[in-house]
Amino acid sequence: MSNCLNKSDTGKTECKNQLHPCRVYKAVGFDDDDLERYTIGIANAFSDIVPGHFHLRQVAEFVKKGVHLAGGNAVEFGVIGCCDSVGNGTVGGHYILPSREVIADSIEIMAKAHHLDGIVLLCSCDKIVPGMLMGCIRANIPAIMVPGGPMLSGPAYGEKSKADSTTVAETYGKYQKGLADWREVLNLQKITQPTCGSCNFYGTANTMSCTAEALGLVLPGGGAIPAVYNERLRSAKKSGEKIMELVTKNIRPSDIVNKKSIQNAISYIMASGGSTNAVIHMTAIGYEAGIEPEWTMKEFDRISGIIPHMARINPASNDYDMEDFYKSGGVPRVMEYLREHINTDVMTVTGNTLEENIENSNYMYGPCDENVIRHFDSPFSTLGGVAIMRGNLAPETGVAKPAAIAEDVRCFTGEAICFDSEEECSQALEQLKIKPGHVVVIRYEGPKGGPGMREMYRPMKLMNGQGLALSTALITDGRFSGTNNGCFVGHISPEAAECGPIALIRDGDKITIDVYKKELTLHVSDEELAERKLQWKYEPKVQKGYLARYAAQACSASMGGILDGKKH
């Protein structure tokens, strides 16, 4: 109990003030011997709601074993966690990104209010991973993350040798066009998610779990171990033992998360073709570590021109999923192949440097499958996995994902068809109004305008299913799922609710997306845009509750969507 106990030379602690609140722990079965040990909090986002967290009770038991074996005392508490797959495409989607801030707050509060000596973070899914990382950086006590791991994939279907949950939405798009039977849609709902775990593709959940490893806050290999593998439990136990070492050595998040490790994480995201959401989350994580969002965005842009696309995982591939990535060496293999291009002298939760971790890498499944992970000198593409876009349509920035955009549409010009919400666009898709040559514009879905910056996952999947992936594009001030593919640009800033240029687009305007040049251009004169701005009006969608509070303080996507009351 770091704030109420005096540590002896043996590493144990002794309570000097028997009236200190630490005595309250005896009410839950602690005795004097327990109070002499380091107390490790286990922040567990388990729930019956989220498939990626469904098994975390069992994972927590193995973390506790490790803590107890190392002489510590484990105390578990719950943390909320929303499932993007449940929320996306519905009103619930407005709460997904804002939940990140609540999670960060709760980790900070619990760690500080209860004088924890260290904390183990159990999570798997999209906003929960970055939220917990943000909270532990604020609390700045020794911390380690244990992801729950990805689920296994379903059987082959269509062009995919391994189906995933998004196959259902794609098939529904086919059904809308009369290209699939309704029974197929129903059957796919049952067989494409055969186990618990985070989504089986390389979406935001798995991107962030693996990026946390690249950042140095997850044990080597721990980011990609499938949820149902026994190695997942062994890694959890090792993490429980390791947190005790971190506490003894007083290795804190501030010793691990810095500009050099953020650069490493960005390099990993580029090499692995990570989710575009990693941009908004790494910007927010860096902010908690005292790093200005502008610096992080510049690093994403700079590193995207250096690091090629080296790992090919669904949605960048129809044949290889997270299980294949893990068996090919996962994050450690990518970091080894990046070795000459990253900062290997940074500290990690192993208590060793990244260089030492690379030297000690143990690849249980043998040689790397070069269909999944390739060396720096022979990548799948010289374009980085994520591109920071700019232009008169995105004066601050936008984000694209070259790794998921077919070469045929990496440079695309088309006519705008505008929608002021995701629902409007989905309705137009139901009515088959989206045609080849359209650039679909979905706006007022940013941090303030949504509010909450929903993912435009469903429209993209429906467009794919309708056969429009190579003949249309979609731009938005909202976000995208890590599994989306086609030609798309998200996070457009300033957003429509702040009268960014995206608010001034009209149907029929010509738009060019050039991923190679990282340019996003609205072919309308400055004079015409100025005239349209004079006619612009906006009324916030939500006037009360948490979303109203979030919208009032939310910063631009280019600043990570962070909450910063000082800016308002």
Side-chain angles (χ1 to χ4, degrees):
M1 309 288 290
S2 57
N3 289 340
C4 68
L5 301 176
N6 298 319
K7 293 179 176 58
S8 68
D9 293 337
T10 63
K12 291 187 177 182
T13 55
E14 180 182 358
C15 187
K16 296 299 185 182
N17 180 0
Q18 293 301 321
L19 293 181
H20 194 283
C22 67
R23 74 190 189 283
V24 174
Y25 281 96
K26 291 186 178 181
V28 293
F30 281 39
D31 57 26
D32 289 338
D33 179 64
D34 291 318
L35 295 179
E36 292 177 358
R37 304 171 188 269
Y38 287 118
T39 300
I40 307 300
I42 300 178
N44 191 351
F46 159 82
S47 76
D48 289 325
I49 301 173
V50 184
H53 293 185
F54 183 75
H55 60 308
L56 290 184
R57 274 182 175 165
Q58 184 181 30
V59 174
E61 291 306 310
F62 278 79
V63 173
K64 291 176 185 176
K65 285 183 181 180
V67 171
H68 294 153
L69 282 171
N73 207 29
V75 290
E76 183 179 356
F77 62 90
V79 179
I80 68 164
C82 301
C83 180
D84 287 52
S85 295
V86 174
N88 280 334
T90 70
V91 173
H94 291 290
Y95 288 90
I96 301 297
L97 179 62
S99 75
R100 184 188 70 181
E101 313 308 315
V102 176
I103 293 163
D105 290 346
S106 68
I107 297 296
E108 175 191 3
I109 290 168
M110 290 297 287
K112 290 297 189 181
H114 295 94
H115 313 295
L116 300 176
D117 294 303
I119 191 167
V120 183
L121 310 167
L122 303 190
C123 55
S124 297
C125 295
D126 297 48
K127 311 308 163 289
I128 302 103
V129 174
M132 285 193 170
L133 292 176
M134 291 162 65
C136 81
I137 292 169
R138 288 184 204 165
N140 200 31
I141 61 173
I144 190 168
M145 177 168 280
V146 180
M151 66 174 68
L152 302 186
S153 293
Y157 179 83
E159 296 179 353
K160 293 183 177 180
S161 60
K162 294 183 177 183
D164 61 73
S165 57
T166 70
T167 306
V168 179
E170 292 171 351
T171 306
Y172 184 69
K174 293 180 179 179
Y175 168 76
Q176 291 176 322
K177 296 278 286 188
L179 302 175
D181 183 82
W182 181 242
R183 187 177 297 276
E184 289 181 72
V185 178
L186 295 178
N187 287 341
L188 285 169
Q189 292 179 28
K190 299 175 183 177
I191 64 176
T192 55
Q193 302 173 85
T195 72
C196 64
S198 51
C199 296
N200 32 32
F201 46 80
Y202 197 47
T204 307
N206 291 316
T207 294
M208 292 311 302
S209 292
C210 291
T211 299
E213 180 182 338
L215 189 62
L217 288 168
V218 174
L219 287 183
I225 304 169
V228 295
Y229 276 29
N230 54 32
E231 186 60 24
R232 170 57 58 200
L233 302 178
R234 284 194 287 273
S235 182
K237 185 164 78 95
K238 292 175 188 174
S239 297
E241 294 175 291
K242 187 58 67 173
I243 189 63
M244 290 296 295
E245 180 184 330
L246 295 174
V247 171
T248 301
K249 294 180 177 179
N250 197 28
I251 298 175
R252 301 168 181 250
S254 58
D255 299 309
I256 295 172
V257 182
N258 50 49
K259 286 186 174 182
K260 293 173 75 172
S261 62
I262 292 283
Q263 288 172 330
N264 288 348
I266 294 172
S267 295
Y268 168 77
I269 292 164
M270 294 298 173
S272 62
S275 167
T276 53
N277 284 319
V279 178
I280 200 169
H281 294 319
M282 288 308 303
T283 303
I285 289 166
Y287 178 79
E288 298 297 347
I291 299 169
E292 285 299 314
E294 293 83 359
W295 181 88
T296 305
M297 291 297 290
K298 287 179 181 177
E299 285 302 291
F300 264 103
D301 198 16
R302 181 184 69 83
I303 293 172
S304 70
I306 299 172
I307 304 299
H309 181 207
M310 298 160 52
R312 189 171 59 177
I313 319 160
N314 178 11
S317 167
N318 285 326
D319 299 316
Y320 302 103
D321 63 0
M322 286 302 299
E323 185 180 18
D324 298 310
F325 179 62
Y326 171 65
K327 289 183 175 180
S328 295
V331 179
R333 186 84 73 177
V334 175
M335 301 307 277
E336 178 189 342
Y337 287 177
L338 284 171
R339 194 176 196 168
E340 302 302 319
H341 307 276
I342 55 177
N343 307 303
T344 59
D345 59 341
V346 294
M347 177 57 63
T348 71
V349 289
T350 63
N352 298 322
T353 65
L354 176 57
E355 177 66 29
E356 292 170 315
N357 290 348
I358 292 172
E359 286 291 334
N360 296 327
S361 292
N362 175 30
Y363 301 117
M364 292 187 297
Y365 291 88
C368 177
D369 184 343
E370 293 189 355
N371 291 310
V372 182
I373 303 174
R374 289 186 182 175
H375 199 276
F376 186 93
D377 296 328
S378 56
F380 293 104
S381 170
T382 55
L383 285 177
V386 174
I388 304 301
M389 307 286 285
R390 287 185 171 84
N392 72 332
L393 189 43
E396 291 181 2
T397 50
V399 181
K401 184 177 179 179
I405 301 176
E407 289 186 22
D408 296 356
V409 287
R410 285 179 179 168
C411 186
F412 185 92
T413 297
E415 291 189 356
I417 179 170
C418 301
F419 305 99
D420 289 347
S421 70
E422 178 185 4
E423 286 82 0
E424 286 185 14
C425 181
S426 294
Q427 184 178 14
L429 281 162
E430 291 277 359
Q431 297 168 355
L432 304 181
K433 290 183 177 180
I434 309 300
K435 306 295 182 182
H438 273 150
V439 175
V440 176
V441 179
I442 305 179
R443 57 196 176 191
Y444 296 101
E445 290 288 5
K448 289 182 177 297
M453 203 180 180
R454 287 189 294 179
E455 289 182 348
M456 301 301 106
Y457 150 80
R458 191 169 184 269
M460 285 297 294
K461 286 299 175 183
L462 293 177
M463 288 165 64
N464 193 346
Q466 290 186 13
L468 297 169
L470 298 179
S471 59
T472 58
L474 193 154
I475 65 172
T476 181
D477 52 8
R479 301 179 294 119
F480 287 101
S481 164
T483 184
N484 279 132
N485 49 19
C487 181
F488 60 91
V489 181
H491 304 204
I492 290 175
S493 304
E495 61 175 290
E498 293 186 320
C499 198
I502 191 171
L504 308 177
I505 304 172
R506 293 179 179 174
D507 287 349
D509 287 347
K510 190 164 72 170
I511 295 172
T512 295
I513 300 167
D514 191 329
V515 176
Y516 296 105
K517 294 181 179 180
K518 303 179 187 177
E519 291 180 353
L520 184 59
T521 305
L522 174 62
H523 297 280
V524 175
S525 70
D526 292 342
E527 293 76 15
E528 172 64 18
L529 290 177
E531 181 64 29
R532 293 181 186 181
K533 189 170 184 178
L534 293 174
Q535 302 171 35
W536 178 78
K537 295 180 181 179
Y538 173 69
E539 181 73 21
K541 296 177 183 176
V542 179
Q543 303 289 340
K544 62 181 180 179
Y546 176 60
L547 289 179
R549 298 198 304 273
Y550 176 85
Q553 291 194 341
C555 292
S556 166
S558 64
M559 295 186 66
I562 58 173
L563 297 188
D564 190 347
K566 293 181 295 184
K567 296 184 180 297
H568 299 274

